[in-house]
């Protein structure tokens, strides 16, 4: 924490301020310093700045949030940082989403976007600095007016105070806006925090989201707008040859149907969402499927298995000992071997994908979207509409979930909307709406994975050899972020969660890619969602083979002299203690444990299940311990643990996308049954107090949930589940 | 065809085919966007409104079948149960993405209107059709108990 307080501002960009915008004071960063992070150049003064904090004459402080809100709590979190530094009451704080602009880039990405559980981690200093700069300038303005030393002025509860003088911060915005910001505004010391770490700070989006007033892109209407649905090829890689409007023309409200410019589908335009959905049912199309993928899930699985049995393409651990390690594992007196299979998964956010594109009076376009990756969407829309980037504007709304789906290298649904906009002539606004069927069959799935592991246990009861081969379709190869994630052919996301495990294990890891034209994508916690499962089921199997308690066995592979390993051990011990772990199992019940580090956050879970008379499983309770560094908003952290556990459990229990002859077999939620309230266990979250830099919480709660459940089911039934979903592996849930 | 709709205490004339789902009339014609589209097959509950005070999935309810029944949406629901549920939801910060929550709240109001003191099992049974992909279920249960306490006080 103290190290953070003194971090040089020059690394983060220079603060600017102005008394502009209708009497409000605005504080922000210019692009010079910020751009230097990614490019090392760019003239500072040429680009101006965009506000991070606006202070109105009424004292309202508006935080301009650069990350979109998909439920993860970022609008509350970043606002907390500014309120903390400014000593402004929570009720006086307002939130708005930033426009699409380089100056709002994610410092972890080098472009504007939300993902990888980075929002708090990359904003923690930046937003505090903006708040601290505002506090300092308001204090200096008041000191000058009151003819006192700045050191004798404070902001308390939103009021400037010095001796018997008080004034609202709003009264000084004009004077403060004329001052130069401090080069390095002094951040508050952690000991004086009143909001950061406060156990319960009301979410900024609660009121709007409980009264129906919260605006999602789905709720946007603009003048002169038509609704559009897209008829796509049922096969991935199929292209449009021709189409017939047919009976669609008879549907009330039908406007037109046009081929998309890239022949990826037919855009069906109508005067209402319903008419667009209904009309599409009557449009027929002829597809060129020469380049399409017609493989079914069964063929894919057998291809994965074949690759699993062949030598890996890549030696991930790079020691040239893949064969030796496998042989050593098999030759050990006690050993474990297992194959793991992971199905394709859809994200299925509650809000089906949609966005609005409208022409602007200035000859550009305005995109209305719950926009996760402006850095991709903005240039994508500009390219399709053949506009310079400065003619494209993105307005960001609340997003009805994402789990990774809204961000991808192609900006697929924005591209589709832009093509539909262009195909209709560019005069009318279009609102693209996907149905749930479009979503579930729309690709961009979590890739199928297969893994084979051989583990040997040494005479000391510890792992003596760990050999693992992963077959996976790469998410990052061929995309714009390839160079960040793929090194020497190895897509790190295919092996993360194993290759970077904090456990002390003698490992040899191999990787083989699987090729398909079907687009795949990161899904909440990315590779950790598969490899975390494999790791933690295997650790349980290894503990069993070694005849040891699962918690003790894991701890025996962690050296607590090392901070990274100590933090993993710390959450494991905390969860075990809070759950009353004693290594004993009870008839008719089962208790399992798993612990995993992802996105710099450590999470352990102890899961309790029970069996009914028919052998069906109920998930009763999860005790979760999390170490995410400084806990900025503890209640948001608890909510993210609860939610990630639920999202992870639903998927491992019963979700899979399957293909027959290349066609997705799942239509709507009844075929891809989401976790229901009756499935949801009681969740008890414990947060490790920490002064380490804050890390993310949106994803890390997920990886341990699946294996903790699998290990609990094993404890209850003796069954090891190495092929998901569990319902396809013969497990039934009550 | 022209259809008369009683909604949120008003009478509205709508021009729509009789088979149009109530959801799309509420959203696209009346611009009451608090009621959400999630699946279109009554499988997720995001579209839940009240028909004479009872929860109804509007995405599969044809406008032609509404007749004299009174529709209430999240924007205007204001019974004591509604106020208690919304207060409890806010106190416990149930929401995450929030997209399903109008439907969750409309269902929870329906539950408490029938059963002032539901057990966990009764909550699970009644709320089973309301999906939340953020899995806020743990807090939904707690908030329904809290709303029940508010109503009792």
């Amino acid at each position: 924490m103290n190290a953070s307080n003194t971090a040089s501002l020059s690394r983060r960009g220079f603060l600017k301020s102005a008394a502009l915008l209708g009497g409000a004071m605005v504080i922000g960063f210019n692009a010079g310093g910020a751009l230097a992070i990614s490019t090392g150049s760019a003239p500072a003064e040429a680009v101006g700045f965009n506000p991070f904090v606006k202070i109105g004459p009424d004292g309202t402080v508006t935080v301009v949030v650069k990350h979109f809100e998909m439920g993860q709590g970022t609008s509350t979190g970043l606002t907390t940082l500014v309120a903390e530094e400014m000593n402004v009451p929570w009720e006086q704080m307002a939130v708005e989403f930033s426009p699409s602009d380089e100056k709002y880039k994610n410092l972890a990405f080098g472009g504007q976007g939300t993902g990888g559980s980075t929002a708090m981690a990359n904003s923690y200093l930046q937003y505090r600095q903006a708040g601290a700069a505002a506090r300092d300038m308001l204090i200096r303005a008041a000191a000058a007016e009151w003819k006192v030393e700045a050191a004798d002025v404070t902001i308390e509860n939103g009021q400037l105070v010095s001796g018997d003088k008080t004034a609202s911060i709003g009264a000084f915005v004009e004077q403060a806006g004329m001052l130069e910001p401090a080069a390095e505004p002094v951040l508050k010391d952690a000991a004086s925090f009143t909001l950061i770490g406060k156990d319960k700070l009301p979410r900024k989006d609660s009121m709007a989201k409980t009264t129906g007033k919260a605006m999602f892109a789905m709720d946007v209407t603009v003048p002169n707008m038509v609704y559009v649905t897209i008829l796509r090829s049922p096969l991935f890689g199929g292209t449009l040859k021709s189409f017939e409007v047919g009976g669609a023309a008879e549907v009330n409200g039908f406007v037109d149907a046009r081929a998309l410019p890239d022949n990826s589908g037919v855009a069906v335009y109508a005067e209402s969402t319903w008419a667009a959905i209904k009309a599409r049912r009557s449009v027929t199309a002829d597809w060129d499927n020469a380049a399409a993928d017609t493989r079914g899930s069964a063929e894919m699985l057998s291809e994965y298995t074949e690759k699993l049995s062949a030598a890996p393409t890549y030696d991930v651990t790079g020691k040239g000992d893949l064969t030796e390690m496998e042989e050593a594992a098999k030759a050990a007196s006690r050993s474990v071997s297992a194959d793991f299979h992971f199905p394709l998964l859809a994200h299925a956010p509650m809000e089906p994908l949609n966005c609005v594109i409208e022409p602007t009076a200035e000859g550009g376009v305005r995109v209305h979207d719950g926009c996760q990756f402006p850095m991709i969407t903005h240039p994508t829309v500009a390219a399709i509409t053949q506009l310079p980037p400065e003619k494209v504007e993105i307005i960001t709304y609340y997003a009805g979930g994402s789990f990774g789906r809204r961000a991808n290298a192609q900006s697929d649904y924005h591209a589709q909307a832009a093509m539909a906009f262009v195909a209709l002539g560019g005069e009318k606004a279009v609102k693209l709406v996907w149905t749930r069927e479009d979503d579930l069959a729309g690709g961009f799935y979590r890739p199928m994975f297969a893994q084979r592991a051989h583990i040997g246990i040494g005479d000391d009861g510890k792992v003596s050899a760990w050999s693992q081969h992963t077959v996976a379709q790469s998410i990052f190869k061929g995309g714009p972020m390839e160079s960040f994630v793929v090194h020497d052919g190895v897509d790190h996301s295919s092996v993360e969660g194993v290759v970077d495990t904090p456990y002390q294990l003698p490992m040899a890891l191999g990787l083989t890619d699987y090729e398909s034209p079907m687009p795949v994508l990161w899904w909440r916690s990315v590779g950790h969602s598969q490899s975390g499962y494999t790791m933690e089921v295997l650790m349980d199997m290894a503990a069993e083979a070694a005849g040891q308690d699962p918690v003790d066995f894991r701890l025996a592979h962690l050296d607590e002299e090392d901070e990274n390993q100590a933090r993993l051990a710390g959450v494991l011990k905390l969860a075990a203690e809070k759950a009353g772990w004693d290594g004993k199992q009870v008839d008719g019940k089962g208790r399992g444990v798993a612990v995993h580090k992802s996105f710099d956050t450590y999470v352990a879970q102890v899961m309790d299940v029970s069996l009914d008379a028919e052998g069906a499983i109920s998930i009763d309770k999860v005790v979760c311990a999390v170490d995410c560094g400084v806990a900025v908003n503890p209640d948001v952290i608890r909510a993210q643990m609860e939610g990630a556990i639920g999202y992870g459990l639903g998927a491992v229990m019963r979700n899979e996308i399957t293909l027959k002859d290349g066609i997705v077999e799942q239509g709507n939620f009844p075929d891809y049954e989401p976790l229901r309230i009756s499935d949801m266990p009681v969740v008890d979250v414990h947060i490790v107090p920490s002064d380490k830099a804050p890390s993310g919480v949106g994803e890390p709660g997920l990886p341990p949930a699946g294996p903790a459940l699998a290990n609990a089911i094993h404890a209850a039934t003796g069954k090891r589940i190495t092929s998901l979903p569990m319902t396809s592996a013969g497990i039934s849930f009550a | 065809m022209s259809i008369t709709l009683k909604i949120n205490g008003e009478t509205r004339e709508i021009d729509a085919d009789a088979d149009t789902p109530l959801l799309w009339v509420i959203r696209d014609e009346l611009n009451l966007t608090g009621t959400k589209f999630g699946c279109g097959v009554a499988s997720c509950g995001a579209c839940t409104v009240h028909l004479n005070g009872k929860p109804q999935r509007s995405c599969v309810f044809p406008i032609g079948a509404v007749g004299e029944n009174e529709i209430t949406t999240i924007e205007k629901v204001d019974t004591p149960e509604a106020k208690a549920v919304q207060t409890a939801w806010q106190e416990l910060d149930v929401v995450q993405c929030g997209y399903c929550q109008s439907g969750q709240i409309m269902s929870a109001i329906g539950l408490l209107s029938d059963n002032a003191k539901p057990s966990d099992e009764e909550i699970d049974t009644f709320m089973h059709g309301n999906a939340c992909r953020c899995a806020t279920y743990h807090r939904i249960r707690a908030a329904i108990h809290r709303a029940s306490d508010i109503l009792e006080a």
Side-chain angles (χ1 to χ4, degrees), chain A residues 31 47 49-50 98-105 111-112 374 378 394:
Chain A
V47 256
F49 79 102
N50 279 347
S98 76
S100 166
D101 191 299
E102 257 288 288
K103 296 175 210 67
Y104 292 109
K105 74 177 155 197
Q112 191 181 1
H378 197 132
I394 299 176

Side-chain angles (χ1 to χ4, degrees), chain A residues 693-712:
Chain A
S695 46
V697 294
E699 297 170 276
L702 189 141
L709 175 61
N711 295 338

Side-chain angles (χ1 to χ4, degrees), chain A residues 5-172:
Chain A
N5 281 355
T6 56
S8 168
L9 191 62
S10 58
R11 284 198 304 117
R12 304 270 165 187
F14 298 97
L15 283 157
K16 299 283 276 183
S17 75
L20 295 168
L21 303 180
M25 170 187 178
V26 295
I27 308 268
F29 296 86
N30 71 8
L35 277 173
I37 289 168
S38 59
T39 68
S41 62
E45 298 311 315
V47 256
F49 79 102
N50 279 347
F52 278 62
V53 178
K54 302 178 186 177
I55 307 162
D58 65 349
T60 300
V61 177
T62 302
V63 178
V64 182
V65 173
K66 67 178 184 175
H67 292 287
F68 89 141
E69 174 70 66
M70 56 183 149
Q72 82 280 37
T74 195
S75 54
T76 299
L78 302 196
T79 304
T80 303
L81 304 176
V82 175
E84 177 68 73
E85 290 293 341
M86 290 189 67
N87 291 340
V88 167
W90 190 236
E91 312 73 55
Q92 209 170 314
M93 301 297 298
V95 181
E96 66 181 46
F97 295 115
S98 76
S100 166
D101 191 299
E102 257 288 288
K103 296 175 210 67
Y104 292 109
K105 74 177 155 197
N106 184 331
L107 301 175
F109 290 0
Q112 191 181 1
T114 303
S117 295
T118 57
M120 181 55 75
N122 95 95
S123 303
Y124 186 62
L125 280 180
Q126 192 178 35
Y127 277 76
R128 286 178 63 203
Q129 283 163 345
R135 163 170 42 86
D136 169 67
M137 292 160 73
L138 288 162
I139 282 175
R140 281 190 280 138
E145 170 85 13
W146 293 339
K147 302 188 174 17
V148 297
E149 293 296 315
D152 294 329
V153 182
T154 56
I155 299 180
E156 293 165 23
N157 210 24
Q159 299 286 310
L160 284 151
V161 180
S162 181
D164 57 357
K165 294 190 174 64
T166 64
S168 158
I169 55 170
F172 279 96

Side-chain angles (χ1 to χ4, degrees), chain A residues 108-383:
Chain A
F109 290 0
Q112 191 181 1
T114 303
S117 295
T118 57
M120 181 55 75
N122 95 95
S123 303
Y124 186 62
L125 280 180
Q126 192 178 35
Y127 277 76
R128 286 178 63 203
Q129 283 163 345
R135 163 170 42 86
D136 169 67
M137 292 160 73
L138 288 162
I139 282 175
R140 281 190 280 138
E145 170 85 13
W146 293 339
K147 302 188 174 17
V148 297
E149 293 296 315
D152 294 329
V153 182
T154 56
I155 299 180
E156 293 165 23
N157 210 24
Q159 299 286 310
L160 284 151
V161 180
S162 181
D164 57 357
K165 294 190 174 64
T166 64
S168 158
I169 55 170
F172 279 96
V173 292
E174 205 172 319
Q175 296 96 312
M178 287 186 268
L179 300 174
E180 273 299 306
E184 298 210 5
V186 180
L187 302 181
K188 278 171 78 168
D189 188 79
S192 61
F193 285 166
T194 58
L195 296 178
I196 292 176
K198 188 178 162 84
D199 191 64
K200 180 79 169 70
L201 199 57
R203 280 183 74 111
K204 278 293 173 193
D205 51 357
S206 255
M207 187 60 76
K209 289 177 176 178
T210 52
T211 52
K213 295 191 177 84
M215 280 291 286
F216 299 82
M218 188 69 100
D219 305 329
V220 172
T221 48
V222 297
N224 197 24
M225 181 180 93
V226 296
Y227 299 78
V228 61
T229 53
I230 308 289
L231 180 68
R232 298 181 306 224
S233 166
L235 291 172
F236 294 105
T239 53
L240 183 68
K241 283 206 288 202
S242 62
F243 72 95
E244 298 285 337
V245 171
E250 313 303 316
V251 172
N252 267 342
F254 172 79
V255 171
D256 206 347
R258 304 269 175 98
L260 291 179
D262 69 347
N263 285 323
S264 61
V266 183
V268 181
Y269 306 88
E271 288 167 0
S272 70
T273 319
W274 174 243
I277 291 171
K278 197 173 166 186
R280 182 177 60 170
R281 292 176 186 161
S282 302
V283 176
T284 52
D286 195 15
W287 305 98
D288 177 354
N289 290 325
D293 197 341
T294 57
R295 287 176 289 188
S297 305
E299 289 119 295
M300 287 176 70
L301 186 60
S302 72
E303 288 173 16
Y304 266 83
T305 307
E306 202 175 302
K307 284 174 179 283
L308 206 54
S309 301
T313 308
Y314 304 107
D315 178 353
V316 176
T317 30
K319 295 186 202 125
D321 61 347
L322 298 182
T323 309
E324 292 82 350
M325 190 68 85
E326 181 177 334
E327 283 165 4
K330 288 176 178 166
S333 60
R334 291 169 291 178
S335 64
V336 169
S337 290
D339 280 4
F340 290 79
H341 292 107
F342 297 87
L344 298 166
L345 287 178
H347 307 71
M350 275 310 296
E351 180 188 11
L353 299 178
N354 69 89
C355 66
V356 173
I357 299 190
E358 62 169 329
T360 64
E362 298 75 35
V365 295
R366 187 176 295 120
V367 181
H368 301 263
D369 180 39
C371 195
Q372 182 160 6
F373 264 18
M375 64 178 179
I376 306 279
T377 300
H378 197 132
T380 299
V381 170

Side-chain angles (χ1 to χ4, degrees), chain A residues 206 218-219 252 273 675, chain B residues 17 27-28 36 93 137 141:
Chain A
S206 255
M218 188 69 100
D219 305 329
N252 267 342
T273 319
L675 187 90
Chain B
D17 291 345
R27 287 184 53 81
D28 288 354
K36 301 302 188 198
D93 271 343
Y137 301 124
R141 251 186 235 137

